[in-house]
Amino acid sequence: MTQFSFSLAAGSGKARTGTISTPRGQIRTPAFMPVGTAATVKGMMPESVAETGADILLGNTYHLMLRPGAERIDRLGGLHRFMNWEKPILTDSGGFQVMSLAGLRKLTEDGVTFKSHIDGSRHELTPERSMEIQRLLGSDIVMAFDECPALPVPKERIAASMQLSMRWAARSREAFGDRPGHALFGIQQGGLEPDLREESAKALTDIGFEGYAIGGLAVGEGQEAMFGCLDTAPDMLPEDKPRYLMGVGKPDDIVGAVKRGVDMMDCVLPSRSGRTGQAWTRRGQVNLKNARHQDDPRPLEEGCTCPACRNYSRAYLHHVFRSNEMISGMLLTWHNLHYYQLLMSEMRAAIADDTFAAFEEKFHATRALGDVERI
Amino acid sequence: MTQFSFSLAAGSGKARTGTISTPRGQIRTPAFMPVGTAATVKGMMPESVAETGADILLGNTYHLMLRPGAERIDRLGGLHRFMNWEKPILTDSGGFQVMSLAGLRKLTEDGVTFKSHIDGSRHELTPERSMEIQRLLGSDIVMAFDECPALPVPKERIAASMQLSMRWAARSREAFGDRPGHALFGIQQGGLEPDLREESAKALTDIGFEGYAIGGLAVGEGQEAMFGCLDTAPDMLPEDKPRYLMGVGKPDDIVGAVKRGVDMMDCVLPSRSGRTGQAWTRRGQVNLKNARHQDDPRPLEEGCTCPACRNYSRAYLHHVFRSNEMISGMLLTWHNLHYYQLLMSEMRAAIADDTFAAFEEKFHATRALGDVERI
């Protein structure tokens, strides 16, 4: 059986390209992971998600444990079979979404108890239970259970929270056990404080993980502050393991993160935007809701090979959005995921050629043009 | 250029099978036409609709004239190009939906004025304007503009309304003009009154159409009354032209209509049901919303080759419906349209073999079994 492994093939500045190998297939890095929260990438058939070039999906432990339930998914053969996705799946630990979605939380050294946002039922998550749930789901890449306060909070709170997360990381490692072909990733915390990030990286490295995530960013601190943190945070993590920036982001966030040595990212943005009439293109964001598109026979993005651009006009995309038709979200989500994967593929090629700086310059220059002129 | 034509290949009892030829492709009859109201079959990519076996779609004049507008669709290259559907399209005349959807209608000999249900704007439909709109849309099969009262009403109302529709049918024929490769269908009215149906059929046949629809049924009269009418109504229409029963129906309505000599049907039911968690199978209706499915690893329908049945369990279909996920409507609509087209294909084969009675018996016997036992 293939073991979980990571090999770097090339670098360009701090940007890296390589391959994560798992028994369920290879993940080309830098990799963007579409989010399949409740066992579906909203508005997409899984075959279509694969067609956009995605090598791996993210599933949400918090949502799946509440509905349909981890034990149920296990009885049904695991998450891959349940949602008809044979390639790798990464699951988060549930910690972040308990904090952002659940009601009436109570945090202790042991873990967190909370009420479901769906039906108010009471649940508990601990490092041990999070590992169990992610095992029941059949996740290929399991995330350590962590905690992070919403910023801004005093540095002492950030430090205490990070240190709790490090104790939970050790318990996660212990509870994960020996699972050949599966990986456990630790999560660096420490807010925007370099010394706390350093302390967290050291604690995680001492425990030892198959990969390392950078947590606690993209939570409202702004791109400048995030990039400031990313100027040093990835370098604190082992060079020979994948580095995963959680919950990022917009296309320019992604390019800036890859430039700083990040290998993996995930974000709901391409699918969420798609459902609200927003498209991401090389020339920036396009709002299909706008009446300027109602008579426009041109494709959303010239040269794009996704079904939305190949087969439809902007006028059609405007019409179906305004008519509240399902195909609006279906087509725009497809386009957005296609664009995101194209961006990753172009970055991987530029890193392999050691021309990442030129790629980045062109990326920003094209965006600066803005959308095509109104017809 | 191929002209519009119809050829009958075989019959079994009163049931008929044949082929309608148009410049945009052939339509195998009996044919079921999925409904693409606002230039999309809700929840489906058009490629997927074609994959279910549909040879033709129905578009709604009323909806399209209001949004995005017939002149706009014409400027954008016509409805086929707009919605990425290259095969034939039939459009209704708008008359029926003005009656069922629009507010503040005013009916005169000339036509009908009404307020849009979308924005309250004022519009007019006459036989001449309906023909113009359907020409602008690029419809392959155009329906004459008609009017029909909601039942029950006194016979005099039904007669007066039918006679008005016949005068409008003549004006529709005149306004349609000479359009090689396109067809105009007249619509028989007369409620449940055989003598009025006969009078209507004679008026239409005197005018002369490329096909004949049976209108004013499936409006709440019940299956027994509808079949009673269909025991004679199709026979009043020319044998060598397609007969189209508008707005029908459930699978057993469709089988009963084909048995009585109907060649074409349309209905929103398969797509509308799909969006509310209802599936149609050989063994009848299945409600995926029901908790009995939550742990069921079996496919919705054993042996069905649609993506919903090939790739997912009932447990998954239940989960995504309960989670209000788009893929629920996408998968169930696909299944339902697949099942409807399979039914048509089996009926065509049974008619060709002159075994329609045996087909019908088996159809009802399988439905009588009901859904598979709870697991």
Side-chain angles (χ1 to χ4, degrees):
Chain A
M1 189 167 106
T2 315
Q3 296 303 305
F4 182 91
S5 66
F6 178 52
S7 73
L8 280 169
S12 185
K14 282 191 183 179
R16 308 135 45 102
T17 183
T19 306
I20 298 172
S21 297
T22 84
R24 289 192 174 268
Q26 298 200 318
I27 304 155
R28 297 162 290 178
T29 67
F32 178 78
M33 303 185 281
V35 178
T37 297
T40 165
V41 177
K42 291 180 197 303
M44 294 286 283
M45 297 284 195
E47 305 87 312
S48 311
V49 177
E51 223 178 284
T52 66
D55 292 334
I56 176 170
L57 285 191
L58 181 141
N60 288 119
T61 284
Y62 171 80
H63 289 85
L64 294 170
M65 72 181 279
L66 297 181
R67 188 172 58 193
E71 277 73 10
R72 173 169 289 135
I73 289 180
D74 178 45
R75 284 195 302 272
L76 290 161
L79 184 57
H80 294 83
R81 180 162 168 193
F82 187 61
M83 70 182 291
N84 187 33
W85 175 263
E86 293 180 1
K87 299 191 194 198
I89 293 176
L90 179 150
T91 46
D92 63 10
S93 71
F96 180 78
Q97 294 191 312
V98 167
M99 292 302 147
S100 57
L101 293 176
L104 271 185
R105 298 169 294 272
K106 195 182 159 204
L107 182 70
T108 68
E109 178 67 29
D110 192 46
V112 57
T113 52
F114 61 94
K115 279 191 167 178
S116 159
H117 74 289
I118 300 169
D119 61 7
S121 56
R122 187 167 289 283
H123 298 267
E124 185 176 22
L125 266 179
T126 60
E128 292 74 22
R129 177 64 180 152
S130 176
M131 294 307 103
E132 185 181 23
I133 290 172
Q134 294 182 75
R135 182 182 56 73
L136 289 166
L137 296 176
S139 171
D140 303 284
I141 302 182
V142 169
M143 299 305 296
F145 188 64
D146 69 340
E147 195 268 326
C148 99
L151 300 181
V153 287
K155 188 171 175 181
E156 308 84 71
R157 256 306 305 281
I158 298 175
S161 167
M162 178 273 285
Q163 287 150 1
L164 175 62
S165 288
M166 295 307 103
R167 294 191 295 276
W168 286 0
R171 284 168 56 191
S172 295
R173 177 84 270 181
E174 175 69 21
F176 180 80
D178 183 30
R179 301 185 58 211
H182 298 259
L184 178 64
F185 280 24
I187 306 175
Q188 183 199 46
Q189 291 290 353
L192 301 172
E193 311 293 339
D195 58 331
L196 296 182
R197 289 271 165 196
E198 195 71 76
E199 182 185 335
S200 178
K202 175 152 191 339
L204 293 175
T205 314
D206 284 350
I207 300 167
F209 290 93
E210 285 77 54
Y212 295 85
I214 300 165
L217 293 180
V219 290
E221 73 280 7
Q223 192 187 69
E224 199 183 345
M226 180 174 82
F227 282 174
C229 179
L230 291 177
D231 282 338
T232 58
D235 307 320
M236 302 170 188
L237 301 170
E239 201 190 341
D240 62 345
K241 302 288 185 206
R243 300 164 181 165
Y244 161 32
L245 178 60
M246 304 181 82
V248 170
K250 295 189 183 178
D252 53 330
D253 295 330
I254 286 179
V255 171
V258 168
K259 178 187 185 174
R260 290 166 175 84
V262 165
D263 305 307
M264 304 165 71
M265 277 149 291
D266 77 281
C267 194
V268 295
L269 196 63
S271 42
R272 183 170 291 166
S273 299
R275 296 196 305 284
T276 57
Q278 305 292 321
W280 296 92
T281 73
R282 292 177 191 275
R283 295 177 65 161
Q285 214 174 341
V286 178
N287 182 356
L288 270 314
K289 190 174 169 176
N290 197 304
R292 67 176 284 194
H293 304 296
Q294 68 184 359
D295 282 302
D296 196 332
R298 294 173 300 181
L300 165 55
E301 181 159 28
E302 197 64 59
C304 174
T305 59
C306 87
C309 294
R310 246 181 16 233
N311 301 328
Y312 301 93
S313 59
R314 287 177 175 227
Y316 183 79
L317 297 174
H318 171 78
H319 164 67
V320 288
F321 178 79
R322 293 286 276 249
S323 304
N324 203 22
E325 290 287 351
M326 287 171 73
I327 201 170
S328 171
M330 291 161 66
L331 288 172
L332 293 185
T333 300
W334 196 322
H335 170 82
N336 287 343
L337 289 177
H338 179 97
Y339 171 69
Y340 266 64
Q341 294 297 343
L342 184 69
L343 183 62
M344 303 317 290
S345 142
E346 290 179 345
M347 284 196 286
R348 290 192 295 264
I351 298 167
D353 293 348
D354 198 7
T355 55
F356 191 82
F359 163 84
E360 195 194 4
E361 193 177 331
K362 192 177 162 200
F363 169 81
H364 289 296
T366 309
R367 282 168 70 86
L369 295 171
D371 190 20
V372 292
E373 284 296 306
R374 182 178 183 140
I375 210 153
Chain B
M1 189 169 103
T2 315
Q3 296 302 305
F4 181 93
S5 66
F6 178 52
S7 73
L8 279 170
S12 185
K14 281 190 182 181
R16 307 135 45 103
T17 184
T19 306
I20 298 172
S21 297
T22 83
R24 289 193 174 268
Q26 297 200 319
I27 303 155
R28 296 162 290 177
T29 66
F32 178 78
M33 304 184 281
V35 178
T37 298
T40 165
V41 176
K42 292 183 198 300
M44 294 286 285
M45 297 286 195
E47 305 88 311
S48 311
V49 178
E51 223 176 284
T52 65
D55 292 333
I56 176 170
L57 285 190
L58 180 141
N60 288 119
T61 284
Y62 170 80
H63 289 86
L64 294 169
M65 72 181 279
L66 296 180
R67 185 170 61 191
E71 277 73 10
R72 173 167 290 134
I73 288 181
D74 179 45
R75 286 194 301 272
L76 290 161
L79 183 57
H80 295 82
R81 181 162 167 192
F82 187 61
M83 70 182 290
N84 188 34
W85 176 263
E86 292 179 3
K87 300 190 193 197
I89 293 176
L90 177 149
T91 45
D92 63 9
S93 71
F96 180 78
Q97 294 191 312
V98 166
M99 292 302 147
S100 57
L101 294 175
L104 271 184
R105 299 169 296 271
K106 195 182 158 204
L107 183 70
T108 67
E109 178 68 28
D110 192 44
V112 56
T113 53
F114 61 95
K115 279 191 167 176
S116 159
H117 74 289
I118 300 170
D119 62 6
S121 57
R122 187 167 288 282
H123 298 266
E124 186 177 21
L125 266 179
T126 60
E128 292 74 21
R129 177 62 181 153
S130 177
M131 295 304 106
E132 184 180 24
I133 290 172
Q134 294 182 75
R135 183 183 55 72
L136 289 166
L137 296 175
S139 171
D140 303 284
I141 302 182
V142 169
M143 299 306 296
F145 188 64
D146 69 340
E147 196 268 326
C148 99
L151 299 182
V153 287
K155 188 172 175 182
E156 309 84 73
R157 255 306 306 282
I158 298 174
S161 168
M162 179 274 285
Q163 287 150 2
L164 175 63
S165 287
M166 296 306 103
R167 294 191 295 277
W168 285 0
R171 283 168 58 192
S172 294
R173 177 85 269 179
E174 175 70 21
F176 180 80
D178 182 30
R179 302 185 58 210
H182 298 258
L184 179 63
F185 280 24
I187 305 175
Q188 182 199 46
Q189 292 290 356
L192 300 172
E193 311 291 339
D195 58 329
L196 296 182
R197 288 271 165 195
E198 195 71 76
E199 181 185 337
S200 178
K202 177 155 191 335
L204 294 174
T205 313
D206 285 350
I207 299 167
F209 290 93
E210 286 76 56
Y212 295 85
I214 300 165
L217 292 181
V219 291
E221 73 281 6
Q223 192 188 68
E224 197 183 347
M226 180 174 82
F227 283 174
C229 179
L230 291 178
D231 282 338
T232 57
D235 306 320
M236 303 170 187
L237 301 170
E239 200 190 341
D240 62 344
K241 303 290 186 205
R243 299 164 181 165
Y244 161 31
L245 177 60
M246 305 181 81
V248 170
K250 295 189 183 177
D252 52 330
D253 295 331
I254 287 179
V255 171
V258 167
K259 178 186 186 176
R260 291 167 173 83
V262 166
D263 305 306
M264 304 165 71
M265 276 148 291
D266 76 281
C267 194
V268 295
L269 196 63
S271 43
R272 183 171 291 166
S273 299
R275 297 196 304 286
T276 57
Q278 304 293 322
W280 297 92
T281 73
R282 293 179 190 272
R283 295 178 63 162
Q285 215 174 341
V286 178
N287 181 357
L288 271 314
K289 192 174 168 176
N290 196 304
R292 68 176 283 194
H293 304 296
Q294 68 185 359
D295 282 302
D296 196 333
R298 295 172 299 181
L300 165 56
E301 182 160 26
E302 198 63 59
C304 174
T305 60
C306 88
C309 294
R310 244 180 17 232
N311 302 327
Y312 301 93
S313 59
R314 287 177 175 226
Y316 183 80
L317 297 173
H318 171 79
H319 164 68
V320 289
F321 177 79
R322 292 286 276 251
S323 303
N324 203 21
E325 290 286 350
M326 287 170 73
I327 201 170
S328 171
M330 292 161 67
L331 288 173
L332 292 186
T333 300
W334 195 323
H335 170 81
N336 287 342
L337 290 176
H338 178 97
Y339 171 69
Y340 266 64
Q341 294 298 342
L342 184 69
L343 182 63
M344 303 317 290
S345 140
E346 290 179 344
M347 283 195 287
R348 290 191 297 264
I351 299 167
D353 292 347
D354 197 8
T355 56
F356 192 82
F359 163 84
E360 196 195 1
E361 194 178 331
K362 191 177 163 200
F363 168 82
H364 289 296
T366 309
R367 283 167 69 86
L369 295 173
D371 190 19
V372 291
E373 285 297 306
R374 183 180 183 137
I375 210 155

